[in-house]
Amino acid sequence: MFKIRAGLVSTLLCMLLSACGGGGEEGADGAGEASLHGTAGAVADAGATDAAVSDAAVQAERAYTASGYPGYQVSDPRLASFNGPGGIELDRAGNLYVADTWNHTIRKIARNGVVTTLAGLPGWPGIADGQGAAARFSSLGDIAIDRFGNLFVTDGYAIRKVTPQGQVLTLAGAPKELGYADGRGSGARFNRPQGIAVDRDGNVYVADTNNARIRKITPYGMVSTLAGGYQDYRTIIDGIGGAAGFDTPTGMAIDRHGRLYVTDVAFRGATTPHSGSTFIRRIDTRSGAVTTLAGSYGVPVDPPAGSPETAARFNEAQGIAVDHAGNLFIADYFNNQGRLQRLGVDGQLTTLPTPPGAFANLHDVTVHWQGPLLVSDHRKHTIDLLTSGLEYRVYAGQPGEPGYADTP
């Protein structure tokens, strides 16, 4: 913890004195400590007092405590507003990207708390490739990011790519044409894809929701079917490739070993419009082998202590994330207006503690490498934070107030 906070102090000093260059996430602390010694000399030469350094340390400490989020924070993302935020994802530097669904935009929440619009124009849905505000999105779903900082989003019947500079292009599919077809680029067809993930080699994986299949897109835009399609029937069946069956694959995550995790909603036996049982599926991306890890049909309940994870029941769980150790975090959409659950590598399911009524309808979840969880609440119009110490707070947006505003 001391090392993190020392890095925060040096970062703030660098900002105040314009004496430091940028660095990557993994080397930020070490670089910060080195620059702190050099900066201290510069401050002394300039006649600055120890009080100035102390004041900078206090400011950085207050920012860290206020945010509850790794890294410094000089702005308040709660001054911004969103409209039905969907998919969220963190880059390696700790910046958070949001598919702001009903604003038809891609938003960025920087580590310093500043919220900006990367691409799209609020209030103007459509389909158009282009730079920044010239681009248009129709129905944004989930979001993923590769190691170069490129974003991939599901949008209507297509998969779109957004560069770090905000340039938007259509990677695969025809934005206005649903269907099912493998092929290259615009020759492929999807049917309301939702979940999306990208591996270290730049391959993009898509939960093709209404086709009940998992699709793969190579960096060159070639689309193939990795798994699903058992007898062209929606069902929950484990197997390899086309011998496996999915019902309504929705959320998706990928671990450091290249294994995919999918939330698969099944409406068989549903007693209300929103009582879809959810199964957690794992897919080996090399063989296409599909395994069910958790979930069962019926009214959503937690399993008794000591029971197998397959006894767990989720209610239209959508978002899913995986940490470095392989623990899964699941945004359970309709369970008591949304529950955040952890499925450990030991198979134990735990509901993470949050204040009553904290969530309205959870959509997605992502995990920071230092431990905190961030979730998008589609109906509350916020991004919420659960620290590694299990402290809950609204991180960005105006609770219950849809809108569009970047930070001042």
Side-chain angles (χ1 to χ4, degrees), residues 325-402:
N327 301 297
L328 298 177
F329 298 90
I330 302 152
D332 204 357
Y333 191 73
F334 277 112
N335 257 349
N336 298 322
Q337 287 74 54
R339 295 193 304 178
L340 189 57
Q341 306 203 67
R342 175 184 182 271
L343 183 62
V345 292
D346 59 357
Q348 292 298 308
L349 182 69
T350 305
T351 299
L352 299 181
T354 52
F359 302 129
N361 285 129
L362 289 181
H363 181 95
D364 201 10
V365 56
T366 188
V367 57
H368 190 276
W369 62 274
Q370 288 179 337
L373 298 173
L374 289 146
V375 297
S376 59
D377 196 315
H378 192 73
R379 192 156 61 89
K380 200 175 71 174
H381 312 291
T382 58
I383 309 301
D384 296 343
L385 171 75
L386 193 65
T387 71
S388 52
L390 297 181
E391 296 178 3
Y392 162 86
R393 68 197 61 163
V394 172
Y395 180 66
Q398 309 288 329
E401 298 182 15

Side-chain angles (χ1 to χ4, degrees), residues 83-354:
N83 193 355
I88 56 175
E89 188 62 281
L90 286 157
D91 68 12
R92 291 186 171 189
N95 303 299
L96 183 72
Y97 294 87
V98 182
D100 195 2
T101 305
W102 301 124
N103 277 325
H104 311 288
T105 54
I106 303 297
R107 314 284 292 281
K108 176 183 178 180
I109 308 175
R111 284 185 61 187
N112 62 2
V114 173
V115 180
T116 55
T117 299
L118 180 63
L121 188 64
W124 291 87
I127 295 292
D129 292 344
Q131 176 68 40
R136 297 289 183 273
F137 300 96
S138 65
S139 182
L140 288 168
D142 288 342
I143 190 168
I145 188 167
D146 69 12
R147 60 194 180 98
F148 301 109
N150 297 300
L151 302 174
F152 299 88
V153 294
T154 52
D155 183 26
Y157 305 119
I159 311 303
R160 318 286 296 280
K161 177 181 178 180
V162 187
T163 70
Q165 296 75 35
Q167 182 69 38
V168 179
L169 59 87
T170 300
L171 177 66
K176 296 182 180 180
E177 297 182 26
L178 66 85
Y180 168 71
D182 290 337
R184 185 179 297 276
S186 60
R189 293 291 181 271
F190 300 85
N191 193 348
R192 291 292 179 189
Q194 288 296 315
I196 192 166
V198 58
D199 67 17
R200 294 178 180 178
D201 297 324
N203 298 299
V204 176
Y205 299 91
V206 179
D208 193 0
T209 304
N210 286 354
N211 278 325
R213 290 170 170 85
I214 306 302
R215 316 288 291 282
K216 175 182 177 180
I217 310 172
T218 70
Y220 305 102
M222 181 58 71
V223 179
S224 59
T225 299
L226 176 66
Y230 173 79
Q231 296 184 358
D232 289 325
Y233 181 70
R234 291 179 180 271
T235 187
I236 307 295
I237 293 180
D238 291 348
I240 298 176
F246 293 86
D247 192 304
T248 310
T250 306
M252 180 177 284
I254 191 167
D255 68 15
R256 61 194 180 97
H257 302 292
R259 294 173 298 202
L260 291 172
Y261 299 88
V262 179
T263 54
D264 191 6
V265 182
F267 294 97
R268 188 178 76 184
T271 56
T272 70
H274 301 301
S275 62
S277 304
T278 304
F279 296 79
I280 309 303
R281 320 288 298 278
R282 184 179 65 203
I283 308 169
D284 185 321
T285 55
R286 293 170 297 180
S287 66
V290 178
T291 305
T292 299
L293 298 181
S296 58
Y297 290 104
V299 177
V301 294
D302 288 335
S307 62
E309 62 269 21
T310 51
R313 294 175 184 171
F314 308 91
N315 195 358
E316 281 195 46
Q318 296 196 12
I320 188 169
V322 58
D323 68 12
H324 190 75
N327 301 297
L328 298 177
F329 298 90
I330 302 152
D332 204 357
Y333 191 73
F334 277 112
N335 257 349
N336 298 322
Q337 287 74 54
R339 295 193 304 178
L340 189 57
Q341 306 203 67
R342 175 184 182 271
L343 183 62
V345 292
D346 59 357
Q348 292 298 308
L349 182 69
T350 305
T351 299
L352 299 181
T354 52

